[in-house]
Amino acid sequence: MTKVGYIGLGIMGRPCALNLLAAGHELTVSTRTRSKAEEVLEAGATWADSPALVAEASEAVFLNLPDTPDVEQVIFGEEGIASASGFGGLLIDMSTIDPGRTSEIAGELAGQGIGFVDAPVSGGEKGAIEGNLSVMAGGSDTDFERALPLLAVVGERITHAGVAGAGQMVKACNQLLVGSNLMAIAEAMVLAERSGLVSPAVMREAVTGGFADSRCLQVHGQRMVEGTFRPGFKSELHAKDARIVKKMAGQTGTPIGAFDVARDALDQLVESGRGELDDSAVIEIVREQAAEGNPAGTDSPGLDA
Amino acid sequence: MTKVGYIGLGIMGRPCALNLLAAGHELTVSTRTRSKAEEVLEAGATWADSPALVAEASEAVFLNLPDTPDVEQVIFGEEGIASASGFGGLLIDMSTIDPGRTSEIAGELAGQGIGFVDAPVSGGEKGAIEGNLSVMAGGSDTDFERALPLLAVVGERITHAGVAGAGQMVKACNQLLVGSNLMAIAEAMVLAERSGLVSPAVMREAVTGGFADSRCLQVHGQRMVEGTFRPGFKSELHAKDARIVKKMAGQTGTPIGAFDVARDALDQLVESGRGELDDSAVIEIVREQAAEGNPAGTDSPGLDA
């Protein structure tokens, strides 16, 4: 059994931490808001007052934090993991953050003898509770092999995508694909309903099973038909991930004109106070644009502008 | 057995006609270029000199033509089907054409006592040869039920989507979804390769099975990894279908900003002499835009422009 640390006990972190405890690992935790740790402490975890103290008690520390600055703060901030005396262990970052910055963080930690694996996940709260998350991992072979037995507790489909940062890059691509697929389904459904020729539900049913088929069409397409937009995955979180995609696209000079439209729709959901809705609610933005007779949508400059 | 007419014996029409013959139907055919009919004539079909003469010899006539004007010409042109003396049968249009115009054509034909079913398909040449095309049908219940035994010869998954035009509308949505999915995969793959963190092939493999999964990721994603771009479905045909989507979007005031980027990429393939390549070649356009440092791609105005 391994001495494991866990920092960040939100929707995703809490069930993962509980699964690590249930698998017999010794768990030390710390969170900014101590109340978030209560369930895990009751289940047998030990509290530590800082990330550094978590690291000193652990062979491997999991991070599950909202965004890039949070990860940097917990590692390099005051009483951060990098300041722990004698932690030569392994950091496993399950947050979804900037791939480029991840690669730099791993380099800085390597200089201090700290191993690093980025391990963002997909599968949502359900996957975290059931311990069958998909894990997209980046890191050296040595670090990945050390992390694998612990990752196998929280996930089922674990891919070693490459060097540190590769896991985050795969996650960014995943969020790009899902966002663009949602936008495509939204545009197709609004086109169908405005044509008066076929309902979105019938259209969806008719194209399922062919080349247009996708997990998003099956799952999110059905959510769009039902129109409740209960998450699922909140638009505000997808919008955050979309900013990471956009930043990487800017840094690498990659045109992502199609995804930009999805990203804008997610941003508009957030800006209009609907960030808590499932990301399938992008269809509402397309409907509103159509109702407003927005010319940008029907005559977008696209790639050749 | 039914007396069936077939007009348009190209890549899709020829195998469908052969399957109708093999199923025991009496077949009369006509094509603009008689040589295209040879294989079907050798297999037992009868030649007629005009669409009108095909109709006069048939209870039901299939059309399988390139575009809307071709369908209009064959129906309403000189010696067209509508001018046939005494054809009170059924027209089954398997072409992919304008949904709005289809709905009008059906109305005009109904006035002459001619039944109409639009029945565009997906599944490609392979599906046509094997007789397992997906058929998206529109028309009255009566017309659809008359068409069904014949459609069942050429297809397997046959959806009655609604009134005349509904089949074309579903097909348009299908082509929108496939085009946008291809574009999303292209953007994700180019982003991955330019990041230097993970190869497109590994990224694709890692996200398959999760929410980003799609038939396009499995089939066209693999084609993008291989990079041969052997069709499959030619970019020039997808570009034609994209113009139908664009027209419907314009007529209905539906914003299709994300699909517009895919449509532009397909057009660029055609304009640069690569219209014969599989539509997965849109990744080449994204790569070229990236190499040119195109600012539109990385800072597209999107929906909120």
Side-chain angles (χ1 to χ4, degrees), chain A residues 2-175:
Chain A
T2 309
K3 291 177 180 171
V4 178
Y6 217 110
I7 297 170
L9 297 169
I11 287 177
M12 297 298 288
R14 189 163 42 235
C16 290
L18 289 170
N19 283 333
L20 287 162
L21 271 174
H25 297 292
E26 250 180 63
L27 203 68
T28 305
V29 302
S30 190
T31 52
R32 272 179 303 192
T33 320
R34 182 159 174 160
S35 63
K36 286 201 175 177
E38 257 166 36
E39 192 180 346
V40 178
L41 292 171
E42 279 166 24
T46 305
W47 176 260
D49 277 329
S50 71
L53 292 171
V54 169
E56 284 167 19
S58 308
E59 298 159 80
V61 177
F62 277 84
L63 304 186
N64 222 321
L65 299 163
D67 210 344
T68 313
D70 308 296
V71 170
E72 290 175 326
Q73 176 63 27
V74 161
I75 299 176
F76 300 113
E78 211 182 325
E79 301 188 88
I81 289 167
S83 72
S85 65
F87 175 58
L90 179 69
L91 207 57
I92 301 172
D93 183 17
M94 303 230 304
S95 323
T96 293
I97 68 163
D98 187 319
R101 187 68 192 113
T102 291
S103 155
E104 291 164 4
I105 290 171
E108 292 174 50
L109 290 174
Q112 295 187 237
I114 299 173
F116 184 91
V117 170
D118 49 310
V121 301
S122 77
E125 187 180 5
K126 187 165 176 283
I129 291 169
E130 292 170 3
N132 57 15
L133 292 166
S134 287
V135 183
M136 296 152 260
S140 70
D141 288 347
T142 313
D143 287 344
F144 177 74
E145 275 155 35
R146 284 168 75 196
L148 191 54
L150 296 172
L151 291 175
V153 173
V154 301
E156 258 175 20
R157 188 188 166 89
I158 300 160
T159 307
H160 185 198
V163 297
Q168 296 294 353
M169 195 62 229
V170 169
K171 178 71 187 278
C173 289
N174 189 79
Q175 301 305 76

Side-chain angles (χ1 to χ4, degrees), chain B residues 58-104:
Chain B
S58 308
E59 298 161 82
V61 177
F62 278 84
L63 304 187
N64 222 321
L65 299 163
D67 210 345
T68 314
D70 307 297
V71 170
E72 290 175 327
Q73 176 63 27
V74 161
I75 299 177
F76 299 114
E78 211 182 324
E79 301 188 272
I81 290 168
S83 72
S85 66
F87 176 58
L90 179 68
L91 206 55
I92 302 171
D93 184 17
M94 303 230 303
S95 323
T96 293
I97 68 164
D98 185 320
R101 188 66 193 115
T102 291
S103 158
E104 291 164 4

Side-chain angles (χ1 to χ4, degrees), chain B residues 41-67:
Chain B
L41 292 172
E42 277 166 25
T46 305
W47 176 261
D49 278 330
S50 72
L53 291 173
V54 170
E56 285 168 18
S58 308
E59 298 161 82
V61 177
F62 278 84
L63 304 187
N64 222 321
L65 299 163
D67 210 345

Side-chain angles (χ1 to χ4, degrees), chain A residues 171 175 220 223 230-239 241 276-280:
Chain A
K171 178 71 187 278
Q175 301 305 76
H220 302 80
R223 288 182 193 158
R230 198 171 39 242
F233 187 60
K234 289 180 185 172
S235 299
E236 62 195 17
L237 295 176
H238 206 151
D241 294 351
E276 300 272 320
L277 295 184
D278 186 66
D279 51 2
S280 57

Side-chain angles (χ1 to χ4, degrees), chain B residues 20-235:
Chain B
L20 286 161
L21 271 175
H25 298 292
E26 250 178 64
L27 202 67
T28 305
V29 302
S30 190
T31 52
R32 271 178 302 191
T33 319
R34 182 159 173 164
S35 62
K36 286 201 173 176
E38 256 165 39
E39 191 180 345
V40 178
L41 292 172
E42 277 166 25
T46 305
W47 176 261
D49 278 330
S50 72
L53 291 173
V54 170
E56 285 168 18
S58 308
E59 298 161 82
V61 177
F62 278 84
L63 304 187
N64 222 321
L65 299 163
D67 210 345
T68 314
D70 307 297
V71 170
E72 290 175 327
Q73 176 63 27
V74 161
I75 299 177
F76 299 114
E78 211 182 324
E79 301 188 272
I81 290 168
S83 72
S85 66
F87 176 58
L90 179 68
L91 206 55
I92 302 171
D93 184 17
M94 303 230 303
S95 323
T96 293
I97 68 164
D98 185 320
R101 188 66 193 115
T102 291
S103 158
E104 291 164 4
I105 290 171
E108 293 172 51
L109 290 175
Q112 294 186 238
I114 300 174
F116 184 91
V117 170
D118 50 310
V121 300
S122 77
E125 187 181 4
K126 188 166 173 284
I129 291 170
E130 292 170 2
N132 58 15
L133 292 165
S134 287
V135 182
M136 298 153 258
S140 70
D141 287 347
T142 313
D143 288 344
F144 177 74
E145 276 156 35
R146 284 167 76 196
L148 191 54
L150 296 173
L151 290 175
V153 174
V154 301
E156 258 175 17
R157 189 186 166 90
I158 300 160
T159 307
H160 185 198
V163 297
Q168 297 293 355
M169 195 62 229
V170 169
K171 179 70 188 279
C173 289
N174 188 79
Q175 301 304 76
L176 183 162
L177 289 166
V178 171
S180 288
N181 283 359
L182 292 186
M183 204 63 205
I185 297 163
E187 289 182 353
M189 285 194 169
V190 176
L191 183 61
E193 74 193 7
R194 290 180 72 91
S195 78
L197 289 169
V198 62
S199 77
V202 170
M203 182 280 288
R204 173 182 164 278
E205 181 61 29
V207 302
T208 301
F211 277 125
D213 204 359
S214 65
R215 272 292 290 283
C216 285
L217 186 69
Q218 291 168 21
V219 176
H220 302 79
Q222 183 55 31
R223 288 181 193 159
M224 290 185 202
V225 167
E226 290 166 3
T228 54
F229 308 125
R230 199 172 35 241
F233 187 60
K234 289 180 186 173
S235 298

